Amino acid sequence: MAQCVQSVQELIPDSFVPCVAALCSDEAERLTRLNHLSFAELLKPFSRLTSEVHMRDPNNQLHIIKNLKIAVSNIITQPPQPGAIRKLLNDVVSGSQPAEGLVANVITAGDYDLNISDRSIKASVPWYSNWKDTLMELKESSLYTATTPWFESYRETFLQSMPASDHEFLNHYLACMLVASSNEVEPMEQFSKLSQEQHRIQHNNDYSYPKWFIPNTLKYYVLLHDVSAGDEQRAESIYEEMKQKYGTQGCYLLKINSRTSNRASDEQIPDPWSQYLQKSSIQNQESYEDGPCTITSNKNSDSNLLSLDGLDNEVKDGLPNNFRAHPLQLDQSSDPSNSIDGPDHVKSASSLHETKKANTGIIHGACLTLTDHDRIRQFIQEFTFRGLLPHIEKTIRQLNDQLISRKGLSRSLFSATKKWFSGSKVPEKSINELKNTSGLLYPPEAPELQIRKMADLCFLVQHYDLAYSCYHTAKKDFLNDQAMLYAAGALEMAAVSAFLQPGAPRPYPAHYMDTAIQTYRDICRNMVLAERCVLLSAEILKSQSKYSEAAALLIRLTSEDSDLRSALLLEQAAHCFINMKSPMVRKYAFHMILAGHRFSKAGQKKHALRCYCQAMQVYKGKGWSLAEDHINFTIGRQSYTLRQLDNAVSAFRHILINESKQSAAQQGAFLREYLYVYKNVSQLSPDGPLPQLPLPYINSSATRVFFGHDRRPADGEKQAATHVSLDQEYDSESSQQWRELEEQVVAVVNKGIIPSSFYPTQYCLNSYSDNSRFPLAVVEEPITVEVAFRNPLKVPLLLTDLSLLWKFQPKDFSGKDNEEVKELARLKLFPHHIGELHILGVVYNLGTIQGSMTVDGIGALPGCHTGKHSLGMSVRGRQDLEIQGPRLNNTKEEKTSIKYGPDRRLDPIITEEMPLLEVFFIHFPTGLLCGEIRKAYVEFVNVSKCPLTALKVVSKRPEFFTFGGNTAVLTPLSPSASENCSAYKTVVTDSTSVCTALTSSASSVDFGIGIGSQPEVIPVPLPDTVLLPGASVQLPMWLRGPDEEGVHEINFLFYYESVKKQPKIRHRILRHTAVICTSRSLNVRATVCRSNSLEDEEGRGGNMLVFVDVENTNTSEAGVKEFHIVQVSSSSKHWKLQNSVNLAENKEAKLASREKGKFCFKAVRCKEKEAAVQSSERYTFADIIFGNEQIISSASPCADFFYRSLSSELKKSQAQLSLHTEKHSIEDAVRLIQKCSEVDLNIIILWKAYVVEDSKQLILEGQHHVILRTIGKEAFSYPQKQELPEMELLKFFRPENTAVSSRPSVDQLSNLIKTSLHYPESFNHPFHQKSLCLVPVTLLLSNCSKADVDVIVDLRHKTTSPEALEIHGSFTWLGQTQYKLQLKSQEIHSLQLKACFVHTGVYNLGTPRVFAKLSDQVTVFETSQQNSMPALIIINNM
């Protein structure tokens, strides 16, 4: 239970006090009325004695009574109606609310912050380690007081309004004050009348109410004297007369009204009555007017009667019906249910309000001075000391004597107590065995009742020992007689007496109380008495810290008959759980919910709301979402009823925003309730700022901002550049690629340096982009904001009139927005002025979708229909877009703390106008053969109002496209040209020149591939280099299918600038991603080797043979019938193809599917004079034609693509070279030797493919490139897949620092000196004439390197093995066996040798061994002859 202001030792004696009746004459009542008080009310603040009182018990022992209080009340002859009691209790509870504005007491119990008090403390401890101890400490500390004043008010009022019944005498009148005024004509006669009236009321059978303790009630005569208006001498004389007649102990002169009420304003006199009158203010609703009021006879009244302080009683000459009805009387018409067990459906708020209004402004005791206060206090003391206590003492003695004589006992009850309790006990029967004899009534003089009377008297004067003895005796008698109502009463008071006994000689007999409660409730069906038992017993148990038992007791008495009682008891039980040694926080919360429910049923809306709010503290954030929803829903409902609209909105909001596990129907109902309440709130302040809506969720970090117009759809053959759009997914790899491309082009524009102010252009800002600086937007270009909504509910939400909320500086401008409702809403702004824009949030109407839906279990708020309904309610509100920037993690400080950077994607700066380019691709293919050349057109359109210039395109794949070289004459723009129109520049040739090369030359600079240039950045050849506003230009664009098959994504980035330089935006870009699917066509492989034949007549520099293998790898899916090789061209700075060796007679080289063709060509060095004329970047092109049309290979587009592939190949080889050079610098000697085997010859294979498509024949053309670098090494037109080396076991060893001897390879050495033997193939010699045959042989030595070479020619045979002899045959060289010579750079030297044979046969002359070394080197290398052909000679005999 909650903490109480009074301890239980104070509470029980104050609840059971001696009752005194007051009977006043009209004149006396008038005197007290001057103070706006009745006589009984006048005495109320002074009814507690300030000093101890002494009296003697039957054993003549002195007994001390402390803090004795008496209850004086006007006589009321009509018992109150149960309905009136219910109304009173209801009003008392609703009138007592927790004070608003106090600092709440928050107890932190681990995860629980419990706000259950009106004092403020805070305790924070880890969950479940010692939070229970903390609660205990808090509970025991002087600070912790969780009070429930409404419960205490209820309990006090309930105990005061207990009906006086026949089975107990605690609230029967012990004495009666007869009050007359000194102003009466005949005061003594008036006293006689009053005395007779009291006697009539007590002893006449017409009156069953009120109840009197004993027949000879103490009468005490009080003479009221008005000091300010009355005659004091007359009063004194009357008082003397009274003393003569009634004795000094039986009368009193009370002087009041020492001042007139009109002087009340002069000095402030305390008003001690207001606190008492406020509690019973509900009784004072009848105004204090004079005049009789008829008594309503109550046929239902049984033993459940009650006595309460009433108002003035008008005595009219002994008429039976001259008493005012009980103040709790209800009109029968207004409350038909007169049974006390009816439900508490009493609307208390309005009546309470009226009462408060009635009571304000009334000054009580206006005619009384502080002296008068003391006189009243003195009067109560005198009455108690001289009248009441001696009367009680005498009565106890009489009862004691009667009992002794009746029972024939030898000693008084008091001395016999021990014997009764220590002797053998009679086993008590259980309640269930006892018959239902609650109807048994004893006559008033029955000895059992006398014991009970004596017990009650002892109890009222705090003689608890004697009281306990008597109750115990009475209990046995009643149980023996099976008078269960009487027995229950005796048990109840025996338990209380035992508890209150000083020195606590025996433990509190809780089982007595349990038996009493069960008897009252189940046998006697009297819930009022059962409730009193529970209230007292729970308080006693609580004082003994038996909270668990107290809670069980309180919960036992909750029932359906009274919601208010059940609510209060459940709330107290909840407080018991929280006060236990191990606090049961969840039980507390659960019972608070039950209490709140019952408060709600009882019409106590504020208390219901308070209970739910306190329980919510425990349930929130624990994942019990359904419980939270229920509590929030109820809080919302109750708050709405109490017109606490903001609380209602926030409670319903909570239900919607936490991931709800409710069914869709339930969620729909919650949503409708929320919208309804919300609408009411917003109607209160229609002009106020728009409130925040909780639904749908906005994922702020997923907000995307896009600058620019939407992409145009494709129009027939025209396809717009893909650029950037909100439909594209973010890909970090591609965004990095675009960034690199932009950096590349900016570097080229700025002469190789990226300016420090450069910042990559970002058209679409999202959570992945860098949003640390303010984005730039261009005036008159839309800004699209994409907001990501998520609906957490299972019911659809309807968003309408969606618009952006923004702020603009410095000038206002018209904003326009559009709206589309799905999970992503895209809203547009058109800035019409330069300045700073801040996008703040979104504004929209939130509603539910109209439709028929049945909702069970949820009643609707007024005006909100459930069941079958068609609702289209919507409310307007806003949500802010607040984006948290990225977490900073650079400095030490940032790493150790949590700091976030700015995110400025919603704060663009609007800049001046810029040009805007749109690019369209016409006849752009989606599929190509590898190497296929196709002509398309690009259209550039300037759609802005500014001219643009410096248009460039950059791509990572420059070998894929070309706009044509500078030398190329632009072909007429005709996208709709016939399909067979060739993409190449061709010349018709005569048939005589077939298979011999036609040469031409071109410079790579013309094709944008120069020294130090960036081949990826290609300027777009605009006419006049400027594109005016609204102008468009179409340019041809040749495409070549990439060499690898598959799908290729090729990124183009178009760069352009404004003619007028802008400070903020230097340039703009447009992106396009082309997707091309390539399929296989031809595979070309080629090798080059030195020709060993005699030199041409031109003589210098050797010839070479080029072998080309072409294979048709196309599978027939693409519909390709066959490939024709129409031309083979070479391109080189030093070599050119001369003629075709093997294809003279076969004019057309056709390759069907999977066929392979072999070509052999002779290549010769370019003439020196030609080479001298050529600059280092000039290439000679030689074309060998297999058809009747020459494709000019040195013109666009053939040369373009050749140069592009060459530059990309160069890049790759440079990358590989740089890797090598890092390892070790190659020695010059080796480098020179390597140079001998290098060749710089590029082959271009041009082809046509015949394709059948839709029964039409198309001719496709294309070209493949093979780059020959090394003699004897095979080269390919398609990239080779690198085979991964097999895995090897790891070896652990220390590397030895041995210098790597860089020896050239055998192949390279064999190319240093080229040897060639010239001799007759057959030689006839007459051996019979001359036995020795001599044959002249010329040995040609050719130096292939650029350095001087020392050569040694050794003619001696190696005679290592007999096999060698057999091979060489028996011939010998005559003359010198060794020659030493020096060959200058690329010099050719001939040696005349003689071979000598002795008989016929076939001989191999290739035996000379040639050694060579560079003149300035020491090492000698042997040139290997393995590559040279065997030099066979036939010697015939003639």
Side-chain angles (χ1 to χ4, degrees):
M1 288 173 78
Q3 302 289 325
C4 292
V5 177
Q6 281 183 307
S7 72
V8 66
Q9 280 81 4
E10 297 167 331
L11 167 74
I12 296 175
D14 277 4
S15 304
F16 300 100
V17 291
C19 293
V20 179
L23 202 52
C24 302
S25 68
D26 288 357
E27 184 59 29
E29 193 66 32
R30 188 188 65 75
L31 286 183
T32 59
R33 277 280 162 239
L34 294 172
N35 296 294
H36 300 290
L37 297 163
S38 70
F39 179 72
E41 288 169 349
L42 182 73
L43 305 182
K44 204 155 211 168
F46 312 102
S47 60
R48 189 185 294 281
L49 299 188
T50 50
S51 57
E52 290 182 352
V53 192
H54 298 193
M55 66 173 278
R56 294 196 174 271
D57 63 21
N59 262 10
N60 218 20
Q61 297 290 319
L62 195 65
H63 171 60
I64 299 169
I65 306 167
K66 294 178 183 174
N67 280 334
L68 182 63
K69 183 181 169 191
I70 61 168
V72 183
S73 57
N74 295 344
I75 291 181
I76 293 156
T77 55
Q78 185 65 26
Q81 294 178 1
I85 298 175
R86 278 200 309 280
K87 183 174 190 317
L88 168 66
L89 293 173
N90 229 321
D91 290 353
V92 162
V93 173
S94 62
S96 176
Q97 297 288 345
E100 287 177 16
L102 280 181
V103 181
N105 176 20
V106 177
I107 295 183
T108 302
D111 284 4
Y112 299 114
D113 292 328
L114 301 182
N115 169 357
I116 51 177
S117 159
D118 41 19
R119 293 276 192 87
S120 168
I121 63 174
K122 176 91 178 163
S124 180
V125 284
W127 168 244
Y128 235 100
S129 56
N130 55 351
W131 65 275
K132 297 183 174 181
D133 309 341
T134 307
L135 261 191
M136 272 310 293
E137 286 165 31
L138 291 170
K139 192 180 68 192
E140 288 159 7
S141 72
S142 58
L143 276 168
Y144 170 71
T145 53
T147 55
T148 46
W150 49 91
F151 171 69
E152 290 171 44
S153 302
Y154 170 87
R155 183 178 59 200
E156 188 182 335
T157 310
F158 171 79
L159 291 170
Q160 282 178 6
S161 62
M162 282 292 296
S165 61
D166 290 328
H167 79 288
E168 64 180 18
F169 305 94
L170 289 161
N171 50 5
H172 291 196
Y173 285 134
L174 274 164
C176 182
M177 290 180 181
L178 304 171
V179 189
S181 164
S182 60
N183 294 355
E184 310 258 5
V185 185
E186 289 290 341
M188 299 305 287
E189 194 181 314
Q190 189 66 46
F191 279 128
S192 306
K193 277 186 185 176
L194 291 171
S195 180
Q196 290 162 15
E197 186 61 39
Q198 188 276 333
H199 189 271
R200 191 171 61 82
I201 290 169
Q202 181 172 355
H203 298 290
N204 192 331
N205 289 333
D206 292 350
Y207 295 101
S208 62
Y209 199 84
K211 306 280 185 189
W212 301 89
F213 207 101
I214 45 176
N216 54 339
T217 303
L218 168 69
K219 291 184 176 126
Y220 196 76
Y221 298 88
V222 182
L223 184 65
L224 271 186
H225 174 63
D226 188 324
V227 177
S228 59
D231 180 353
E232 191 153 335
Q233 285 183 342
R234 181 171 186 251
E236 291 289 351
S237 66
I238 296 168
Y239 181 48
E240 287 301 321
E241 202 178 330
M242 287 167 63
K243 283 201 274 191
Q244 295 292 323
K245 188 172 180 181
Y246 306 121
T248 53
Q249 309 286 329
C251 58
Y252 194 82
L253 169 62
L254 176 58
K255 297 177 181 179
I256 58 168
N257 297 0
S258 296
R259 64 176 184 170
T260 52
S261 57
N262 57 5
R263 280 178 45 232
S265 56
D266 299 350
E267 53 178 310
Q268 283 293 314
I269 296 287
D271 177 4
W273 293 273
S274 55
Q275 54 177 328
Y276 293 98
L277 295 177
Q278 238 170 0
K279 286 183 181 174
S280 56
S281 62
I282 300 94
Q283 309 154 29
N284 306 342
Q285 282 168 61
E286 311 167 54
S287 58
Y288 299 114
E289 84 282 347
D290 298 330
C293 172
T294 55
I295 296 170
T296 349
S297 66
N298 178 8
K299 301 210 175 68
N300 295 355
S301 65
D302 52 3
S303 61
N304 305 335
L305 307 170
L306 69 111
S307 87
L308 256 192
D309 295 356
L311 302 179
D312 52 330
N313 307 305
E314 298 171 13
V315 182
K316 288 269 177 74
D317 301 329
L319 287 170
N321 285 355
N322 62 352
F323 289 99
R324 183 172 281 261
H326 193 283
L328 294 186
Q329 191 72 43
L330 286 178
D331 297 336
Q332 289 203 315
S333 58
S334 71
D335 186 13
S337 65
N338 282 341
S339 81
I340 197 150
D341 296 340
D344 316 287
H345 287 303
V346 183
K347 291 283 174 214
S348 57
S350 57
S351 62
L352 190 68
H353 189 56
E354 287 158 23
T355 310
K356 280 186 181 162
K357 260 198 275 186
N359 282 346
T360 49
I362 294 175
I363 301 169
H364 302 291
C367 302
L368 302 175
T369 61
L370 290 175
T371 317
D372 291 339
H373 289 201
D374 290 340
R375 284 175 186 149
I376 298 169
R377 199 175 284 114
Q378 185 64 37
F379 160 62
I380 294 290
Q381 297 268 77
E382 285 291 316
F383 165 70
T384 313
F385 285 21
R386 302 274 176 85
L388 183 62
L389 285 179
H391 175 68
I392 291 174
E393 192 176 319
K394 190 176 87 183
T395 311
I396 290 176
R397 284 180 186 281
Q398 285 173 357
L399 289 169
N400 191 37
D401 294 345
Q402 280 179 27
L403 291 173
I404 290 169
S405 62
R406 282 184 187 172
K407 294 274 184 182
L409 299 171
S410 55
R411 283 157 299 162
S412 73
L413 268 170
F414 187 57
S415 59
T417 307
K418 258 193 188 151
K419 177 183 163 192
W420 292 341
F421 298 135
S422 58
S424 60
K425 293 186 178 176
V426 181
E428 294 174 12
K429 299 177 182 175
S430 76
I431 283 192
N432 299 334
E433 296 170 37
L434 296 168
K435 299 198 295 294
N436 183 0
T437 51
S438 60
L440 174 65
L441 291 173
Y442 289 100
E445 62 282 352
E448 291 85 359
L449 287 190
Q450 304 311 313
I451 299 179
R452 169 72 206 226
K453 266 185 189 173
M454 181 174 163
D456 285 352
L457 266 180
C458 294
F459 189 85
L460 289 173
V461 293
Q462 303 175 12
H463 202 320
Y464 299 119
D465 296 359
L466 191 50
Y468 179 74
S469 312
C470 297
Y471 284 132
H472 200 275
T473 310
K475 173 204 68 161
K476 285 187 176 177
D477 292 344
F478 294 140
L479 282 174
N480 288 337
D481 296 341
Q482 295 194 351
M484 296 316 295
L485 180 64
Y486 294 89
L491 281 163
E492 175 188 3
M493 296 317 292
V496 176
S497 304
F499 171 70
L500 291 174
Q501 276 181 20
R506 55 181 58 81
Y508 167 63
H511 59 289
Y512 279 15
M513 274 295 195
D514 294 345
T515 310
I517 293 165
Q518 203 173 341
T519 309
Y520 282 144
R521 192 182 63 187
D522 301 339
I523 295 175
C524 307
R525 306 269 174 226
N526 191 326
M527 291 303 284
V528 176
L529 291 168
E531 183 177 351
R532 183 181 71 185
C533 276
V534 166
L535 293 175
L536 296 175
S537 185
E539 207 55 57
I540 291 168
L541 289 168
K542 188 192 84 173
S543 72
Q544 297 176 335
S545 295
K546 295 180 177 173
Y547 290 105
S548 182
E549 292 86 339
L553 196 61
L554 291 160
I555 292 166
R556 247 170 70 196
L557 206 68
T558 55
S559 59
E560 288 305 312
D561 62 326
S562 169
D563 288 313
L564 182 64
R565 181 186 68 231
S566 301
L568 287 160
L569 296 186
L570 283 165
E571 184 180 15
Q572 293 307 308
H575 280 286
C576 286
F577 289 123
I578 201 86
N579 280 311
M580 289 166 73
K581 198 165 187 181
S582 302
M584 296 180 163
V585 186
R586 291 196 287 262
K587 266 199 164 163
Y588 159 79
F590 182 65
H591 286 85
M592 280 307 247
I593 295 283
L594 296 177
H597 176 61
R598 297 304 287 272
F599 270 131
S600 181
K601 282 175 77 178
Q604 299 280 351
K605 301 292 181 195
K606 283 189 180 174
H607 285 298
L609 179 59
R610 180 183 48 75
C611 288
Y612 275 100
C613 290
Q614 290 190 357
M616 188 59 181
Q617 302 172 96
V618 175
Y619 283 105
K620 73 175 174 207
K622 298 289 175 300
W624 297 338
S625 62
L626 296 178
E628 272 191 73
D629 288 354
H630 169 75
I631 298 169
N632 272 318
F633 181 71
T634 314
I635 289 174
R637 273 282 174 89
Q638 300 289 11
S639 300
Y640 181 79
T641 316
L642 294 167
R643 305 306 293 163
Q644 299 176 8
L645 296 181
D646 290 343
N647 290 354
V649 167
S650 89
F652 282 122
R653 177 193 177 94
H654 272 292
I655 307 180
L656 298 175
I657 60 174
N658 296 332
E659 300 290 337
S660 176
K661 297 186 173 61
Q662 302 283 5
S663 66
Q666 197 86 2
Q667 286 180 357
F670 287 158
L671 179 61
R672 284 191 301 279
E673 294 259 1
Y674 171 75
L675 295 177
Y676 178 76
V677 173
Y678 186 97
K679 198 157 197 168
N680 281 339
V681 174
S682 54
Q683 279 165 2
L684 294 179
S685 55
D687 303 328
L690 278 177
Q692 299 277 345
L693 288 173
L695 289 174
Y697 288 0
I698 291 183
N699 182 358
S700 289
S701 63
T703 304
R704 297 194 296 165
V705 184
F706 176 69
F707 301 100
H709 296 276
D710 293 340
R711 184 174 167 245
R712 291 195 191 177
D715 173 23
E717 286 291 324
K718 260 193 188 188
Q719 178 194 345
T722 54
H723 195 41
V724 185
S725 81
L726 284 169
D727 299 324
Q728 296 164 358
E729 288 295 316
Y730 175 80
D731 176 19
S732 59
E733 208 173 306
S734 72
S735 69
Q736 180 59 28
Q737 276 183 16
W738 288 116
R739 182 182 176 139
E740 284 169 10
L741 287 174
E742 188 177 353
E743 282 175 0
Q744 240 178 331
V745 68
V746 169
V748 167
V749 169
N750 289 285
K751 303 187 172 55
I753 301 152
I754 295 179
S756 58
S757 61
F758 167 73
Y759 189 68
T761 309
Q762 296 187 119
Y763 283 110
C764 182
L765 300 178
N766 52 31
S767 52
Y768 305 105
S769 55
D770 176 7
N771 307 322
S772 57
R773 48 177 75 206
F774 294 102
L776 300 173
V778 176
V779 81
E780 299 297 341
E781 287 186 25
I783 299 168
T784 309
V785 180
E786 180 186 85
V787 184
F789 288 113
R790 182 169 73 82
N791 180 2
L793 303 182
K794 296 170 187 156
V795 289
L797 299 173
L798 185 66
L799 304 187
T800 50
D801 295 343
L802 200 59
S803 56
L804 281 174
L805 207 58
W806 43 262
K807 179 175 83 177
F808 185 73
Q809 300 154 332
K811 293 176 195 163
D812 204 4
F813 70 114
S814 55
K816 183 176 127 192
D817 41 24
N818 73 331
E819 152 259 317
E820 51 181 300
V821 179
K822 51 180 180 190
E823 284 206 337
L824 296 172
R826 291 185 184 164
L827 305 156
K828 278 190 188 174
L829 285 175
F830 278 87
H832 297 317
H833 201 285
I834 60 174
E836 290 175 19
L837 176 66
H838 302 279
I839 297 163
L840 306 174
V842 282
V843 185
Y844 56 95
N845 291 338
L846 171 66
T848 52
I849 289 183
Q850 290 188 336
S852 191
M853 206 191 268
T854 308
V855 184
D856 301 324
I858 289 187
L861 286 167
C864 176
H865 311 292
T866 51
K868 290 274 180 193
H869 68 277
S870 174
L871 257 189
M873 186 183 295
S874 72
V875 296
R876 188 145 187 88
R878 64 182 274 184
Q879 279 201 61
D880 293 341
L881 290 170
E882 291 167 354
I883 305 173
Q884 188 180 56
R887 183 166 172 188
L888 301 174
N889 201 20
N890 301 325
T891 63
K892 186 181 179 182
E893 186 190 352
E894 287 169 357
K895 285 176 181 172
T896 51
S897 59
I898 297 177
K899 285 190 179 176
Y900 293 92
D903 192 302
R904 301 206 169 100
R905 68 183 99 155
L906 295 175
D907 305 317
I909 293 171
I910 313 298
T911 65
E912 292 172 27
E913 275 191 311
M914 282 291 287
L916 187 63
L917 174 73
E918 284 193 2
V919 178
F920 298 95
F921 295 88
I922 305 163
H923 297 309
F924 202 87
T926 52
L928 292 171
L929 293 172
C930 292
E932 183 188 340
I933 305 282
R934 190 80 66 90
K935 187 177 187 178
Y937 289 88
V938 193
E939 185 175 7
F940 298 97
V941 187
N942 182 356
V943 292
S944 68
K945 294 174 182 172
C946 308
L948 66 86
T949 183
L951 179 57
K952 294 178 169 46
V953 60
V954 59
S955 172
K956 287 265 187 253
R957 305 284 294 271
E959 69 274 13
F960 169 68
F961 68 98
T962 178
F963 290 107
N966 299 348
T967 55
V969 179
L970 288 179
T971 50
L973 296 176
S974 54
S976 54
S978 68
E979 284 161 350
N980 289 343
C981 171
S982 172
Y984 290 116
K985 188 174 176 185
T986 55
V987 176
V988 179
T989 57
D990 53 344
S991 54
T992 55
S993 64
V994 169
C995 292
T996 55
L998 302 166
T999 59
S1000 58
S1001 72
S1003 168
S1004 63
V1005 181
D1006 295 340
F1007 295 93
I1009 315 291
I1011 303 166
S1013 72
Q1014 282 267 17
E1016 288 94 346
V1017 181
I1018 298 156
V1020 176
L1022 286 178
D1024 306 329
T1025 70
V1026 173
L1027 196 55
L1028 296 171
S1032 72
V1033 62
Q1034 270 191 7
L1035 298 178
M1037 182 188 209
W1038 287 273
L1039 308 169
R1040 176 174 180 270
D1043 286 318
E1044 306 104 277
E1045 65 165 329
V1047 178
H1048 302 267
E1049 271 195 12
I1050 295 159
N1051 292 336
F1052 298 91
L1053 186 133
F1054 294 93
Y1055 167 102
Y1056 57 99
E1057 297 172 6
S1058 173
V1059 172
K1060 189 175 127 194
K1061 292 283 175 273
Q1062 295 285 3
K1064 288 230 162 79
I1065 306 180
R1066 297 281 176 86
H1067 66 271
R1068 299 193 85 176
I1069 59 168
L1070 177 75
R1071 302 175 183 177
H1072 176 63
T1073 302
V1075 180
I1076 300 282
C1077 181
T1078 54
S1079 44
R1080 286 187 282 186
S1081 56
L1082 299 177
N1083 267 0
V1084 182
R1085 51 177 69 193
T1087 46
V1088 61
C1089 56
R1090 294 193 192 284
S1091 133
N1092 276 338
S1093 60
L1094 278 161
E1095 296 306 308
D1096 288 341
E1097 54 281 359
E1098 289 116 40
R1100 304 202 52 80
N1103 300 342
M1104 287 196 288
L1105 293 178
V1106 180
F1107 297 95
V1108 181
D1109 289 6
V1110 183
E1111 184 187 357
N1112 176 358
T1113 55
N1114 184 273
T1115 47
S1116 51
E1117 301 137 23
V1120 181
K1121 278 202 306 189
E1122 57 186 8
F1123 285 90
H1124 289 215
I1125 310 299
V1126 292
Q1127 182 172 319
V1128 176
S1129 300
S1130 71
S1131 166
S1132 170
K1133 294 178 187 176
H1134 309 295
W1135 297 87
K1136 60 181 181 185
L1137 291 185
Q1138 194 177 37
N1139 55 9
S1140 167
V1141 176
N1142 65 339
L1143 224 74
E1145 69 286 340
N1146 179 7
K1147 272 193 181 177
E1148 284 195 333
K1150 292 184 191 173
L1151 294 176
S1153 182
R1154 291 291 174 193
E1155 280 188 347
K1156 192 186 271 190
K1158 272 189 178 295
F1159 299 84
C1160 181
F1161 303 98
K1162 182 179 175 186
V1164 295
R1165 272 190 191 277
C1166 299
K1167 291 177 180 165
E1168 279 296 324
K1169 58 174 187 267
E1170 276 178 23
V1173 172
Q1174 285 173 13
S1175 73
S1176 61
E1177 294 302 320
R1178 238 179 144 66
Y1179 286 76
T1180 301
F1181 288 82
D1183 304 334
I1184 293 176
I1185 304 146
F1186 294 113
N1188 55 359
E1189 258 186 341
Q1190 179 197 358
I1191 294 170
I1192 300 169
S1193 56
S1194 58
S1196 287
C1198 178
D1200 293 82
F1201 289 117
F1202 159 68
Y1203 282 126
R1204 296 264 152 88
S1205 70
L1206 187 66
S1207 72
S1208 66
E1209 195 65 36
L1210 273 169
K1211 261 192 163 177
K1212 286 180 199 165
S1213 59
Q1214 275 169 359
Q1216 288 170 348
L1217 261 179
S1218 64
L1219 285 177
H1220 286 304
T1221 49
E1222 280 168 25
K1223 290 177 189 171
H1224 53 83
S1225 58
I1226 298 169
E1227 295 173 23
D1228 296 345
V1230 181
R1231 187 79 204 90
L1232 276 168
I1233 295 167
Q1234 280 180 353
K1235 267 209 153 115
C1236 302
S1237 59
E1238 281 179 11
V1239 65
D1240 150 37
L1241 177 62
N1242 308 296
I1243 306 293
I1244 305 169
I1245 313 288
L1246 295 119
W1247 49 263
K1248 282 186 181 172
Y1250 291 86
V1251 179
V1252 178
E1253 198 176 90
D1254 304 335
S1255 72
K1256 277 199 305 188
Q1257 178 166 304
L1258 298 176
I1259 301 175
L1260 307 179
E1261 6 179 42
Q1263 65 189 58
H1264 281 77
H1265 314 120
V1266 183
I1267 294 167
L1268 292 164
R1269 292 254 176 275
T1270 312
I1271 296 176
K1273 192 173 174 187
E1274 197 168 26
F1276 305 88
S1277 66
Y1278 50 95
Q1280 294 301 296
K1281 283 180 185 161
Q1282 295 281 322
E1283 280 190 17
L1284 290 170
E1286 288 184 14
M1287 287 179 72
E1288 292 178 7
L1289 287 173
L1290 276 174
K1291 292 176 186 167
F1292 296 93
F1293 60 89
R1294 182 181 295 152
E1296 294 173 19
N1297 293 336
T1298 50
V1300 182
S1301 62
S1302 51
R1303 281 184 68 82
S1305 66
V1306 180
D1307 291 355
Q1308 290 167 342
L1309 289 174
S1310 63
N1311 292 325
L1312 186 61
I1313 299 289
K1314 189 168 125 183
T1315 59
S1316 161
L1317 286 167
H1318 290 244
Y1319 55 89
E1321 280 181 29
S1322 66
F1323 193 82
N1324 297 329
H1325 178 71
F1327 279 100
H1328 53 277
Q1329 292 174 3
K1330 206 172 177 182
S1331 60
L1332 289 179
C1333 168
L1334 299 177
V1335 180
V1337 177
T1338 307
L1339 174 62
L1340 272 179
L1341 297 171
S1342 169
N1343 178 4
C1344 296
S1345 76
K1346 294 271 171 76
D1348 294 355
V1349 179
D1350 293 342
V1351 184
I1352 299 171
V1353 182
D1354 189 357
L1355 300 179
R1356 286 173 297 182
H1357 293 307
K1358 272 185 183 174
T1359 51
T1360 46
S1361 59
E1363 293 92 346
L1365 278 175
E1366 288 171 24
I1367 293 166
H1368 299 309
S1370 48
F1371 88 95
T1372 184
W1373 295 102
L1374 299 181
Q1376 261 180 273
T1377 57
Q1378 207 176 49
Y1379 296 88
K1380 280 189 183 177
L1381 13 130
Q1382 190 178 48
L1383 296 181
K1384 295 272 185 284
S1385 165
Q1386 293 191 340
E1387 182 190 343
I1388 300 170
H1389 184 83
S1390 61
L1391 277 179
Q1392 302 301 325
L1393 307 178
K1394 279 187 180 166
C1396 173
F1397 304 89
V1398 290
H1399 33 77
T1400 56
V1402 179
Y1403 296 89
N1404 179 9
L1405 293 177
T1407 61
R1409 287 157 65 206
V1410 180
F1411 297 91
K1413 79 175 180 67
L1414 297 174
S1415 297
D1416 51 357
Q1417 294 288 322
V1418 183
T1419 327
V1420 178
F1421 308 121
E1422 181 180 1
T1423 62
S1424 154
Q1425 300 300 315
Q1426 292 157 2
N1427 293 358
S1428 54
M1429 308 288 282
L1432 299 181
I1433 186 169
I1434 302 165
I1435 303 294
N1436 298 318
N1437 190 5
M1438 49 187 279

